[in-house]
Amino acid sequence: MTARLQGKTALVTGSTSNIGQAIAEVFAAEGAHVIVSGRSQERGVRVVEGIRAAGGRADFVRADLDGSAAASRALADEARRTLGGRLDILVNNAGIYPPATTGTTDEETFDRVYAVNVKAPFFLTAAIAPAMAAAGGGAIVNLGSWIARLGIPVGALYSSTKGAVETLTRAWAAEFGPSGVRVNAVSPGVIVPPAAPGEEPHPGEVMMHGTPAGAVGTPDAVAYAALWLAGDEAAFVHGAVVDVDGGRTGTAVIAR
């Protein structure tokens, strides 16, 4: 690794598995002291132990980001306390995706998905960005989604929350950028394990036919995009949404 985040501190929400875990591991490998956060103490401790075993710095802070301002503020405060008072990078990754259609989504589910996917990052950013600005700057990376801009039959609720996150990315870039806090987003495509031989493929894997990549992506692919946006190499990047989707939303090729 190249120590691109040496001396930096970072909070990655929803980092006890999958994309969030990959981001935490890559950030730590590049020199950052990372706060791993999520609801599961067991999984969080396991991720931290793995990072430390690889020579990185990490601590776990449990958080159930239910959308309340209080829960977001509590995580911000505990992360800063654990990191010695300074937080340079925030990754708003935590989210939930109930695979329901519009007609089968009840009001309780609707409110819960918006609480976790939109309200929680909104109030966490509100609790962290001003302090970043006061300390001289920082970087915020949000997680959008390819289905915020390419409609699919199942996922209207989730995709609408990610559309909100991508809009907030641009609004926050305008709001906090002049104070030295860069805000950008990564929009992942289909990130699922490929089917084993003889196994039925995931519908998302089938949807990658006819794309330049021709296959699903890995959590690491998203993590390295987040690393670039969080680091000094992206110092002139504000309000961008970087597609890491194998070309799914922007291109088409002849499927073979």
Side-chain angles (χ1 to χ4, degrees), residues 59-221:
D59 290 282
F60 175 69
V61 174
R62 188 187 179 281
D64 184 0
L65 293 175
D66 58 6
S68 67
S72 290
R73 282 196 299 266
L75 174 57
D77 291 344
E78 183 61 17
R80 276 191 291 256
R81 187 194 67 77
T82 305
L83 292 168
R86 194 182 88 252
L87 183 56
D88 301 306
I89 301 163
L90 166 64
V91 180
N92 284 312
N93 169 73
I96 54 176
Y97 182 1
T101 62
T102 299
T104 58
T105 299
D106 57 34
E107 187 174 6
E108 180 182 356
T109 300
F110 184 99
D111 290 343
R112 182 166 56 90
V113 175
Y114 262 84
V116 175
N117 293 8
V118 181
K119 286 184 67 179
F122 184 94
F123 287 114
L124 188 57
T125 298
I128 288 175
M132 280 183 174
I140 297 174
V141 181
N142 298 321
L143 269 290
S145 173
W146 65 291
I147 61 171
R149 278 163 288 127
L150 181 68
I152 64 171
V154 179
L157 176 58
Y158 176 81
S159 64
S160 70
T161 66
K162 289 304 181 177
V165 167
E166 292 189 6
T167 296
L168 285 170
T169 297
R170 292 182 284 271
W172 286 337
E175 182 176 356
F176 299 117
S179 301
V181 179
R182 294 186 304 103
V183 185
N184 295 287
V186 179
S187 178
V190 180
I191 310 293
V192 296
E199 202 175 56
E200 190 70 23
H202 186 280
E205 187 174 355
V206 177
M207 291 185 71
M208 289 307 293
H209 297 168
T211 66
V216 296
T218 65
D220 278 354

